Amino acid sequence: MNRYKLIVLLLCIPFFASSQDDEKKDYGKLSGGIESNSQYYVDDAKTGDFEQEDPFRSNNYLRLNYTYKNWFAHVQLESYEPNAILNFYPKYNGTDIGTFAVGYKNSKIEVTLGHFYEQFGSGLILRSWEDRQLGINNAIRGANVKYRPTHSLEFSALYGRQRDGFEVSDGSIFGFNAEIGLATLFKFESTGLNLGLSYVGRDEDLDIDNPNFESLTNSFSARLDFSEGNIYSSIEYVKKGEDVYAELGNIIDDKYFDGSAILFNIGYAASGLGIDATFRRMENMAFFSERDESANVFNQNFINFIPALTKQHDYGLTNIFVYQSQPRLTFNPLFKSGEIGGQVDIFYNIKKGTTLGGKYGTKLAFNFSTWSGLKGDFNINDRSYEDTDLFGFGDKYFEEFSLDIKKKWSPKWSSIFSIVNTYYNARYVEDRIGEVNATAVVGEVTRKFDGGKSLRAELSHLFSDDETTERAKNWAGGTLEYNFSSRLSVFATDIWNYGNPDEDQQVHYYTFGGSFTKGATRVMASYGRQRGGLVCVGGICRFVPENTGFTLNLSTSF
């Protein structure tokens, strides 16, 4: 059965299910959603003329889910017409079926045939997922089986090929995962203890004469989660098997390297206080379903999930110098074998009725993150290096301190103050010259009115020593948002690189628009300028070129 016959079959199911001849019969349940993201690009004297074809571009998704007793099915239609939004993966083109699957699920077993999303542990060894804003959908097409013989045991096995546009990758993925609830097995009353074990294999046959080449790369993971009272912790170790080296998309068939990762997290949570610390060390941990995709900038063909472990900021100026994780081994244009570092979050609520807390209390959030390269002896010309130090910190890539103070002054007034100090080594993060020290200060105030109305205003400023024309030394920014109700809102925002050394390149990157929500339907429209740079969601980023135009977003579910 080809894909078009499958979609016709799935679309017909709900029409048969809607018959009202016998109200006592169970015809199953149909649900789904529609999302449309469109942009119309225009010429602009400041951001430049739009020189590509198709100034109007639209990404559209229709997903249908059908369940009948223990059976389920889904299909997702996708349309990128006449082209995808700027800087999306080029293979997202035209209209076709993106994903489809059928399966069966009960309390002990779950079987999926078709496309599925899966994650082992934290995702360091495997995670398939979708994020439409970033243009990522690396679903696996094949078979996924889960078996739960008891409440404390779960086993998973999968096989398939990763989605690559509307096709699938050349490399095959094998996976096995075990989750063991030790606390339940040993009947611990107040202690949580869980063990996880995973295997992931990627098999891709290449036309390589080197007799040492192995098409199969094996990776293994072990992790342990612990909790007791207010304390929790987890540790995970991943060993990636030896694999041929790929540089800038080219296979170097006489160079082979293995990889590894350590992830440790510990935290404390109590009334009014929360502390969370994470450490991660990665060496050559970029893992792709196709080896020659190691240089792609679209986050495609990634088998594992390696987000930047830094604070995710909410404001335009605090997202100019954004860190991206550095898992790859590369000797060109400079040497990087991975990263080492971590972050600490501290949350504290100053009690109501105290001098600093006031009548409604005060919330404090502090974050510190630091990331460096791995320390070791390297030979760039020979593309080789000796074993790196396990806990050795090399060149610093990124470091940041931030403090947020949230204060409610009265039932109608509240405010947020943020300060962020960042060190950003552009040479290692972006492969461009420069080390940047920057400080951003943000003030936000919200005024609530009767009838669900509210007004939010934000002012921000960024001081930096970056002298590139793309970013400039100093920036100023502001936002004004008015909510007529929970349904209707309008906004205007602007960031201005007034410190750009080239006065002709000093640009107001303004945007104004509004949104309307009714039930499960939301419509948002805007017009403005997009600053060139990274758009990040959950620590994963997509580069967006500078542009000007109209944007229309529509989403609904049923």
Side-chain angles (χ1 to χ4, degrees), residues 41-172:
Y41 304 96
V42 300
D43 296 341
D44 187 315
K46 286 292 187 178
T47 60
D49 293 343
F50 184 78
E51 298 179 345
Q52 301 188 42
E53 61 180 10
D54 302 321
F56 174 77
R57 296 169 174 234
S58 186
N59 300 356
N60 303 278
Y61 312 87
L62 167 63
R63 183 179 177 90
L64 297 174
N65 305 303
Y66 178 72
T67 59
Y68 176 72
K69 296 183 179 179
N70 296 108
W71 297 90
F72 61 88
H74 88 254
V75 63
Q76 180 165 292
L77 293 173
E78 300 178 13
S79 178
Y80 305 91
E81 300 286 1
N83 256 312
I85 290 173
L86 279 182
N87 216 48
F88 266 63
Y89 189 40
K91 290 186 179 181
Y92 288 131
N93 183 266
T95 301
D96 209 332
I97 295 177
T99 62
F100 61 88
V102 295
Y104 177 87
K105 179 180 180 180
N106 62 27
S107 61
K108 289 188 176 294
I109 193 167
E110 180 179 347
V111 179
T112 304
L113 300 177
H115 289 90
F116 56 88
Y117 302 100
E118 184 58 276
Q119 177 172 327
F120 292 169
S122 69
L124 262 177
I125 190 169
L126 180 138
R127 186 191 184 197
S128 57
W129 57 299
E130 178 186 29
D131 191 296
R132 294 169 183 171
Q133 186 177 353
L134 296 175
I136 296 174
N137 189 326
N138 61 354
I140 299 172
R141 192 179 77 185
N144 190 18
V145 179
K146 296 179 182 293
Y147 177 56
R148 307 176 186 90
T150 68
H151 291 297
S152 58
L153 296 174
E154 178 178 302
F155 303 101
S156 303
L158 63 86
Y159 166 78
R161 295 191 174 188
Q162 209 167 32
R163 182 178 174 184
D164 186 31
F166 286 117
E167 303 298 330
V168 291
S169 63
D170 292 335
S172 299

Side-chain angles (χ1 to χ4, degrees), residues 124-125 198-200 217-222 236-242 257-262 281 283-285 287 387:
L124 262 177
I125 190 169
S198 302
Y199 162 78
V200 175
T217 303
N218 299 304
S219 294
F220 301 89
S221 169
E236 182 173 6
Y237 176 75
V238 180
K239 179 64 177 178
K240 177 187 172 187
E242 190 174 78
F257 301 95
D258 57 10
S260 63
I262 301 172
R281 180 195 187 275
E283 181 174 353
N284 188 25
M285 271 306 296
F287 198 14
D387 291 338

Side-chain angles (χ1 to χ4, degrees), residues 122 124 234-236 261-265 278-281 309:
S122 69
L124 262 177
S234 64
I235 187 169
E236 182 173 6
I262 301 172
L263 177 65
F264 176 70
N265 175 253
T278 302
F279 167 83
R280 185 174 69 188
R281 180 195 187 275
L309 297 181

